[in-house]
Amino acid sequence: MIEDMKQQAVIGVSLGGRTLLVGRVKDGVLEQSVTRKINNRESEGNIIKEVVNAIKEVMDDSVVGMGFGAPSLVDVEKGIVYNVQKIKSWKQVHIKDILEDTFGIPVYVNNDANCFAIGELYFGQAKEVENLIGLILGAGVGAGIVFKKHLFSGTNCGAGEYGNIPYRDHDIEYYLSDNYFDLKYGLSFDLLLERAKRADKIALAIFEQYGFDLGNAIKIIMYSVDPEMIIIGGPISAAFSFFEKAMWQKVNNFLYKHSLEKLKIQATKQENIAVLGAAALYFDANNHVLSK
Amino acid sequence: MEKTFIGVDLGGTKVHAARVMGGVISKSVYRLLPKDNGDAQIVVNLIMEVVNLLMNEKVSAIGIGLPSMVDSEKGIVYDVQNIPSWKEVHLAEILESQFHLPVFMDNDANCYALGEAYYGLGKDSDFMVGLTIGTGLGGGIVCQRKIINGASGSSGEFGIIPYLDKTLEDYCSGQFFKDYYASNGEELAKKARAGDVSALKAFQEFGLHLGNAIKVIMATVDPQMIVIGGSVALSNDLFEKAMRQSISDYAFERSIKKIKIQFSETNHMAILGASSLCFQNEFVLG
């Protein structure tokens, strides 16, 4: 069933705080894509125009649907995005209606973490998995949850908001987002990554501590939803090899050994996962219908 | 024709079972667990005894709720805390060979949530979390009347999530009253109702912590509804207000406005939920 659906082309749109990525996906492959820099101080209307124009570049007759992902609160049913991260003018945009009216095909909207998770299920490392978490570590911390091969957004698209959970003196997002490196060490993540690659001892120690905190956060994820697999995405995943060992040290303290035996934690390997994930929203929505 | 099932709830001090048809309990029995739980077989025998007492030719399957990690697929229960000898018991196999009927098993908090989903407050909800607050804090996640087990059946273990200097369970269960007020919840509730200021304060604090636990549940799974049961929940009049106050500052306003949080109206949900294990699976009996 999943294989059949991949014969149709679907467009994925990933709107980030600085970059817009749009692609046409067919047979599990990104056939064509465009990347546009976004001026996040532009008006709502101008950014909508950018999105529409980028979509036009990859649109063709084989396209049967579209998925749209953004780092924001989402009303999944109505396809409305609220307060998109870093784009001040996008306070409440009825993006589903706008895109469906413009292009005449069904459009599915969700947040970036959910797109990431469903993208890994359909196109990435989680194809054989039933229950997984896609954890994005970047400017914020959020997770997408897949239960029994379906995207699980929660009632208000608020599932997987692990960033908000109290942890140590603040919350999980405080310690795991890229801001923390600046706050605590006065160094940017990118710089730290460069230094870690050159085996700089301080950078490695900083990433080790990060791994401990991440491991503790992962235990919370496991206690709440017990996934078979956790895939780490977002900019910070680039440093995965530097914090992986410390992360496992904490995770291995997990109470239920049977879950631990099965658990796999990997960094994303898909380059275009944001766009692929947005496209996967279409397949997830239609798979649901078919499975009833 | 409504099918008949037996639901079994293995608790901390007793094993309770009922014969259920159409969600109605027609007969129920219980046996106290021996104080010295040395031999695993003794408890297995007690379970067989209660099932035997309820068995008749109409019963088509047995469902069991257990206070521990359960591998529902394989029918194995692991590490039951209050029965030290139960490290790994292949309970489904044992009972199936005795009664020649299908046996379904799951964690007791999951059964409680399932019971509320089928027969209680969760009837109209697509997606809910059931929380049991007793000697411990247990949770079950139910989506469209199916328990979300996760990879190994340990989903919904909200109690073990780190909180303050310990875990959510330490602050949101009977444990809280033991640790901080040297009392059991029931006695403290009596005092509170009689106007004892310190007892009333204890319940206010409890409500605050429970509210924080609810915020964690909302952040992780964002349910439509949370139903709360268990022995401590019976005193909800003493802590509900503080609990709702504590939740009110949750980061996502829309979630707070929409979420329904209610307290169990009857005591039987865990057993009814255990009996519903028999038909919530794909393999519906023919």
Side-chain angles (χ1 to χ4, degrees):
Chain A
M1 201 61 80
I2 292 180
E3 285 311 313
D4 287 342
M5 301 194 66
K6 285 190 189 168
Q7 298 304 312
Q8 301 154 321
V10 173
I11 286 179
V13 181
S14 170
L15 177 63
R18 290 192 197 98
T19 318
L20 170 66
L21 299 157
V22 180
R24 190 181 66 247
V25 180
K26 188 151 130 196
D27 296 345
V29 169
L30 190 59
E31 281 187 327
Q32 188 194 352
S33 75
V34 297
T35 304
R36 293 277 173 274
K37 284 255 168 282
I38 290 284
N39 177 351
N40 55 29
R41 279 171 292 180
E42 276 281 11
S43 71
E44 177 189 308
N46 281 344
I47 295 180
I48 291 175
K49 272 195 205 137
E50 285 270 15
V51 171
V52 168
N53 287 336
I55 293 172
K56 282 184 177 159
E57 287 192 50
V58 301
M59 179 61 76
D60 73 16
D61 292 330
S62 70
V63 174
V64 296
M66 195 183 314
F68 179 97
S72 63
L73 284 177
V74 179
D75 181 327
V76 172
E77 223 173 309
K78 295 189 182 144
I80 306 173
V81 295
Y82 299 91
N83 301 325
V84 177
Q85 210 179 70
K86 296 204 173 95
I87 302 180
K88 287 212 158 80
S89 60
W90 275 45
K91 290 199 186 311
Q92 181 177 335
V93 179
H94 294 233
I95 192 67
K96 175 180 159 83
D97 288 343
I98 292 168
L99 294 178
E100 282 185 350
D101 288 343
T102 310
F103 296 103
I105 52 173
V107 176
Y108 301 91
V109 182
N110 215 309
N111 70 35
D112 58 341
N114 287 341
C115 289
F116 173 59
I118 198 72
E120 289 284 354
L121 180 78
Y122 277 91
F123 301 113
Q125 300 168 74
K127 286 183 195 139
E128 308 299 314
V129 172
E130 292 240 332
N131 305 308
L132 89 122
I133 293 268
L135 180 63
I136 295 200
L137 302 172
V141 170
I145 304 177
V146 170
F147 272 148
K148 295 200 175 25
K149 290 199 178 300
H150 289 301
L151 178 61
F152 181 77
S153 305
T155 307
N156 304 293
C157 202
E161 289 296 335
Y162 290 102
N164 285 323
I165 293 179
Y167 174 67
R168 288 173 60 191
D169 299 326
H170 293 269
D171 57 27
I172 286 179
E173 189 163 273
Y174 182 85
Y175 291 89
L176 295 184
S177 64
D178 59 16
N179 209 28
Y180 184 65
F181 300 111
D182 290 287
L183 264 169
K184 174 122 192 200
Y185 306 106
L187 296 165
S188 77
F189 167 73
D190 291 330
L191 184 64
L192 278 168
L193 182 58
E194 276 313 297
R195 290 190 183 173
K197 285 178 182 166
R198 286 182 270 128
D200 176 294
K201 288 210 165 84
I202 292 179
L204 290 175
I206 290 174
F207 281 126
E208 186 185 54
Q209 182 56 48
Y210 185 86
F212 290 142
D213 288 323
L214 177 59
N216 286 335
I218 284 175
K219 278 189 290 195
I220 294 178
I221 293 174
M222 288 171 74
Y223 285 128
S224 53
V225 298
D226 187 24
E228 291 154 61
M229 181 182 246
I230 300 175
I231 304 183
I232 311 266
I236 298 180
S237 67
F240 187 71
S241 59
F242 300 117
F243 55 76
E244 186 180 7
K245 195 165 158 210
M247 177 194 78
W248 275 110
Q249 258 184 275
K250 287 295 173 186
V251 172
N252 280 327
N253 282 336
F254 185 70
L255 198 60
Y256 298 121
K257 299 306 171 199
H258 303 277
S259 295
L260 210 46
E261 275 159 16
K262 293 183 186 176
L263 180 69
K264 292 203 186 81
I265 307 177
Q266 288 157 203
T268 184
K269 295 190 170 73
Q270 274 288 6
E271 224 183 277
N272 298 297
I273 196 66
V275 172
L276 290 169
L281 290 178
Y282 173 85
F283 298 121
D284 178 67
N286 289 282
N287 225 5
H288 241 296
V289 171
L290 289 167
S291 70
K292 280 185 193 150
Chain B
M1 230 309 250
E2 288 281 9
K3 296 212 162 77
T4 304
F5 306 105
I6 290 177
V8 181
D9 181 36
L10 179 63
T13 49
K14 61 181 193 283
V15 54
H16 194 178
R19 195 170 61 227
V20 182
M21 185 172 95
V24 175
I25 294 176
S26 55
K27 183 175 175 188
S28 87
V29 295
Y30 74 89
R31 286 289 178 273
L32 292 173
L33 295 179
K35 291 233 166 19
D36 162 25
N37 298 311
D39 191 341
Q41 194 56 43
I42 295 182
V43 181
V44 173
N45 289 342
L46 283 174
I47 294 178
M48 296 221 254
E49 196 183 319
V50 293
V51 172
N52 241 333
L53 286 168
L54 297 168
M55 186 60 72
N56 67 22
E57 62 289 341
K58 293 207 189 105
V59 174
S60 47
I62 304 168
I64 313 182
L66 300 132
S68 66
M69 254 267 284
V70 176
D71 184 330
S72 302
E73 242 169 278
K74 297 191 181 140
I76 305 176
V77 50
Y78 297 100
D79 298 322
V80 177
Q81 260 191 332
N82 52 307
I83 310 175
S85 53
W86 275 40
K87 294 234 170 302
E88 181 180 321
V89 179
H90 293 232
L91 193 60
E93 214 181 286
I94 295 170
L95 293 176
E96 278 172 359
S97 53
Q98 175 77 12
F99 296 104
H100 307 292
L101 288 174
V103 173
F104 301 93
M105 292 164 40
D106 214 310
N107 163 275
D108 56 356
N110 286 347
C111 288
Y112 164 70
L114 194 66
E116 289 283 5
Y118 272 104
Y119 303 113
L121 298 163
K123 261 188 263 190
D124 298 318
S125 173
D126 249 354
F127 170 45
M128 55 164 278
V129 164
L131 267 187
T132 55
I133 309 181
T135 38
L137 176 69
I141 306 173
V142 173
C143 191
Q144 294 181 339
R145 283 174 198 64
K146 289 217 169 92
I147 294 171
I148 303 286
N149 284 107
S152 310
S154 73
S155 63
E157 287 296 334
F158 302 111
I160 325 182
I161 290 178
Y163 173 68
L164 297 182
D165 54 333
K166 294 185 196 148
T167 66
L168 281 175
E169 186 169 82
D170 289 297
Y171 287 88
C172 302
S173 71
Q175 200 60 41
F176 173 71
F177 302 112
K178 268 198 203 138
D179 289 344
Y180 296 96
Y181 292 90
S183 174
N184 84 40
E186 250 184 83
E187 280 166 27
L188 213 56
K190 273 193 202 138
K191 286 191 187 157
R193 292 206 176 95
D196 181 307
V197 169
S198 162
L200 282 165
K201 182 161 168 281
F203 280 99
Q204 297 280 359
E205 264 190 62
F206 180 82
L208 174 83
H209 296 305
L210 181 56
N212 287 337
I214 288 174
K215 283 187 281 195
V216 170
I217 294 171
M218 289 172 76
T220 50
V221 296
D222 188 24
Q224 239 172 19
M225 172 175 227
I226 299 178
V227 184
I228 306 177
S231 54
V232 176
L234 294 171
S235 307
N236 65 78
D237 54 310
L238 296 169
F239 61 78
E240 182 176 1
K241 198 162 157 209
M243 179 194 84
R244 293 198 188 273
Q245 173 85 359
S246 172
I247 299 168
S248 62
D249 68 355
Y250 185 64
F252 300 111
E253 254 189 87
R254 281 164 66 226
S255 297
I256 284 293
K257 285 201 187 125
K258 289 162 98 176
I259 193 160
K260 283 197 206 123
I261 303 174
Q262 292 177 266
F263 294 92
S264 256
E265 286 169 355
T266 80
N267 279 335
H268 310 302
M269 287 308 162
I271 273 213
L272 286 174
S275 75
S276 353
L277 292 176
C278 301
F279 53 82
Q280 67 122 24
N281 291 301
E282 285 100 41
F283 311 108
V284 176
L285 302 164

